[in-house]
Amino acid sequence: MTSSPNPRALDIPALAGRLRAGDRAALARAITLVESRKVEHQHQARELVQLLLPFTGAALRVGITGVPGVGKSTMIDTLGSNLIAAGHKVAVLAVDPSSARTGGSILGDKTRMARLAAERDAFIRPSPSSGTLGGVAAKTRETMLLCEAAGFDVILVETVGVGQSETTVAEMTDFFLVLMLPGAGDELQGIKKGVLELADMIAVNKSEGDNRARAVAAAGEYRAALHIMQQASPSWSPPVVLVSGLDNVGLDDMWKKVVEHRKIFEATGELAQKRRDQQVKWMWTMLEERMFARLRSDAHLRALLPELERRVAEGALAPTLAVETIAAALGF
């Protein structure tokens, strides 16, 4: 079995140069470095991201969500193939839940996006969260920057549409697309208001064939729901469109609206402000991760925490005092 190279010997400037030249192996190596939990790897990852930062920011970052079964993967597979045919380079990053047993991604993105995975100008990467959504957010942000530095001009960030993943993805992208199913009715009752507030556009997927009439009715329901909500920007009213990822219908028009949104937000300065806000949010997220990493790695704290948790659970110790004890151990 071949041993891995000494991480201390890794030439970060050379890796950055290969990545900038479009070396896919270098990109994969860089992402693995960013995702590593080893302290020496994390230092190298920070150096790498800092080196590449001047070459990032030009890509169009689109978050895509929808409940399981809405057809996200089929739609992304078709949309990504369309964009590549139009001359774009497309990276798909999936914010996945993790296997509770292995910590690995439980969604097989490359098998669900077979056509896109075969494209030379496509890159698909799942991001297992290992139970910490904040952690996967930080890693996905860094991976997004690496892909941009490698020349990908469209970044699609997919979330499975459960828990807080929608908010997390919306906070790292320029445009947030929500996929819905035909037949609003009962489905509309189950939509989380927060998701509609995040949406820059709603696309009713699977609107082909016998579903068409139901899709049209659903679109009307979604438009009515959006109409009574306060818009996030005075420059943009989220449209509702009908698409079929399976039959490649409506996707070109849908993408034109994404591009239109980009042009408007660039002109008003809202895109630049949004990105600035996201950078600050990213900083605080990473600080929180660093603090939790300290909790996990400090031997004294690891020994202290189970006893504190037990006493809090039994009502023998107030949570506020437990926090004071932990903070004191951390030197706060």
Side-chain angles (χ1 to χ4, degrees), residues 62-141:
V62 179
I64 301 174
T65 193
V67 297
V70 76
K72 289 187 299 295
S73 295
T74 300
M75 194 280 291
I76 292 172
D77 193 34
T78 305
L79 174 64
S81 299
N82 291 352
L83 292 171
I84 288 171
H88 294 283
K89 292 185 69 177
V90 180
V92 179
L93 310 178
V95 176
D96 282 357
S98 292
S99 163
R101 296 181 62 186
T102 66
S105 168
I106 63 173
L107 299 181
D109 296 275
K110 290 190 177 182
T111 59
R112 294 183 296 125
M113 303 176 195
R115 184 160 51 132
L116 193 58
E119 293 279 1
R120 183 175 58 85
D121 288 328
F123 186 81
I124 301 174
R125 183 82 175 198
S127 298
S129 65
S130 299
T132 56
L133 193 55
V136 76
K139 303 307 182 188
T140 302
R141 287 176 194 270

Side-chain angles (χ1 to χ4, degrees), residues 77-250:
D77 193 34
T78 305
L79 174 64
S81 299
N82 291 352
L83 292 171
I84 288 171
H88 294 283
K89 292 185 69 177
V90 180
V92 179
L93 310 178
V95 176
D96 282 357
S98 292
S99 163
R101 296 181 62 186
T102 66
S105 168
I106 63 173
L107 299 181
D109 296 275
K110 290 190 177 182
T111 59
R112 294 183 296 125
M113 303 176 195
R115 184 160 51 132
L116 193 58
E119 293 279 1
R120 183 175 58 85
D121 288 328
F123 186 81
I124 301 174
R125 183 82 175 198
S127 298
S129 65
S130 299
T132 56
L133 193 55
V136 76
K139 303 307 182 188
T140 302
R141 287 176 194 270
E142 291 175 320
T143 300
M144 184 165 60
L145 295 180
L146 295 177
C147 289
E148 290 181 354
F152 291 90
D153 62 332
V154 174
I155 312 292
L156 305 178
V157 184
E158 177 194 7
T159 166
V160 293
V162 294
Q164 295 301 309
S165 59
E166 297 100 335
T167 301
T168 302
V169 170
E171 288 176 347
M172 71 174 77
T173 53
D174 306 325
F175 189 96
F176 196 61
L177 171 65
V178 178
L179 294 186
M180 295 293 193
L181 289 164
D186 295 337
E187 287 91 341
L188 187 60
Q189 304 303 318
I191 297 172
K192 287 181 288 184
K193 182 184 177 186
V195 175
L196 291 183
E197 290 175 341
L198 295 171
D200 291 304
M201 176 164 57
I202 288 178
V204 182
N205 195 25
K206 300 187 179 181
S207 61
E208 70 277 352
D210 293 341
N211 282 333
R212 187 69 183 182
R214 296 171 64 222
V216 170
E221 295 281 357
Y222 297 136
R223 289 189 188 99
L226 287 170
H227 184 70
I228 62 175
M229 296 178 65
Q230 183 176 357
Q231 304 302 327
S233 166
S235 308
W236 184 258
S237 295
V240 179
V241 299
L242 301 180
V243 300
S244 170
L246 184 65
D247 290 350
N248 198 3
V249 173

